Amino acid sequence: MTRKSLHFTQMLQPGGWADNVRIGLADGLIASVESGVSAAAADERHGAALPGLPNLHSHAFQRGMAGLAEVRGPSDDSFWTWRETMYRFVERLTPDDLQVIAALAYVEMLESGFTRVGEFHYLHHDRDGRAFADPAEMSGAIVAAAGESGIALTHLPVFYAHSGFGGLAPGEGQRRFIHDVSGFAAMLERLRPLLAGLPDAVLGVAPHSLRAVTPDELAAVAGLVDGPVHIHIAEQVKEVADCLAWSGARPVEWLLAHAPVDRRWCLVHATHLVDAEVRGLAASGAVAGLCPITEANLGDGLFPSAAFLAAGGVFGVGSDSNVLIDATEELRLLEYGQRLAGRARNVMAPAGGSTGGALWRGAVAGGARALGAVEGLAVGAPADFVTLDLAHPSLVGRSGDALLDGLVFAAGRGGIDGVWRRGRRLVEKGRHVERERIAARYRRVLAGLLG
Ligand SMILES: [Zn+2]
């Protein structure tokens, strides 16, 4: 067992900020935490430390098409035209391509302050739509990319069977995503030993959306694991209209009435809600998985954050399409969307509280719940943390939550000095230790895919 001790002038712990904190690590896990103590001679010494942020929703392969869907088509562009671009990109990817693209995405996540990713993974089959000899071949590429980058992985294989509400047959562009329940269960069994070899990995499932699964399939798939259950929901107004036409209920209304939604569940986007759905979602204990950069990029709409927080709701953030990977920018845009829509300031903060503090703490707690991980820097948790550059002009002279306000609203990712995963420093001065190799390989593969 490898042991070491680190000392920090300040640390954000689950109970709040503490000064002069000493943590003992055993094999990358936090074995002891003391505060109000001075450093011992052999301790590594750092300034301020924060728990790393969980990224609760990613489609890693979409990093490869970032910026490729920003040209206006002949008619009005929408989520649905973006999806056509995505389907064309997805047709070409091999398992090796997927690993190369995902590894770069995970390097960039770590550099920006994310230490765990929830990979909502739906690209399962070969280019012609046939299953690989090993049904978990594409998931294996995700597991390998997580291992190379060092990021913690909550793997969320997606169950996808239909192209619309009421069990419509899937379309040709969806052929690489499709399973029946028994084929999906067989893939999960292949995955369990793969994930057992990856430190701190968690297995969940992701019924893709109410348009892609029937009620019977939803119940069967959610019962296949003990881990998290994630679903895309109410992202688009067309989806709300189609759900009403199918069932007479709105998507979140239908889900809360027909599925055992609780703390295991993460409802990704949940953008379009009426008041009763806001209250019902908050009361369920499920996490609202918000993806502000992607939701802005796709023109989805704005989640009703103020009403959801007032009802006691729990949220986390995700980088989703990975068009831009930046933890602080997700939090900043989450708050700024609310400010612009409500013509108000400091919407996500409690009365008298720091907005940066409320955003970081909220996303750490909600992200951990959504990804089946231990929350924050506590005994027994992996030592996954971010250290700040206290000499940064937007952080200098500050402590406690004022550091988080400076980080989220002023410094951005430039205020991050180091990022640590399981006690290993993977990011130094804002750069991942494997960036050069992983980025060079990415450039070669993308040139081929786009050429
Ligand atoms: Zn998504």
Side-chain angles (χ1 to χ4, degrees), residues 159-165 207-214 217:
F159 179 82
Y160 201 128
H162 307 286
S163 65
F165 288 93
H208 178 273
S209 56
L210 292 180
R211 50 177 204 274
V213 304
T214 64
E217 289 163 345

Side-chain angles (χ1 to χ4, degrees), residues 57 59 232 269 320:
H57 188 69
H59 309 287
H232 287 137
H269 307 301
D320 193 1

Side-chain angles (χ1 to χ4, degrees), residues 285-430:
V287 177
L290 309 178
C291 308
I293 293 174
T294 296
E295 289 157 7
N297 184 269
L298 295 180
D300 289 343
L302 274 178
F303 178 81
S305 295
F308 183 66
L309 291 178
V314 174
F315 74 93
V317 293
S319 64
D320 193 1
S321 70
N322 296 314
V323 63
L324 174 69
I325 295 174
D326 191 324
T328 57
E329 186 152 344
E330 295 290 357
L331 298 178
R332 187 162 59 249
L333 191 57
L334 173 56
E335 168 69 19
Y336 280 173
Q338 302 298 315
R339 291 189 188 190
L340 288 164
R343 297 193 295 266
R345 300 192 72 246
N346 295 316
V347 178
M348 301 293 287
S354 146
T355 304
L359 288 165
W360 198 278
R361 272 192 283 271
V364 165
R369 183 185 296 185
L371 298 183
V374 184
E375 177 190 334
L377 300 172
V379 171
D384 299 351
F385 56 90
V386 171
T387 55
L388 300 180
D389 172 12
L390 297 177
H392 190 285
S394 298
L395 302 181
V396 72
R398 299 164 211 218
S399 64
D401 277 357
L403 284 172
L404 290 166
D405 289 331
L407 178 69
V408 172
F409 293 103
R413 62 189 303 159
I416 293 175
D417 178 42
V419 180
W420 309 66
R421 236 300 284 161
R422 221 179 150 88
R424 267 181 70 209
R425 185 171 189 168
L426 295 178
V427 175
E428 297 181 20
K429 305 286 176 213

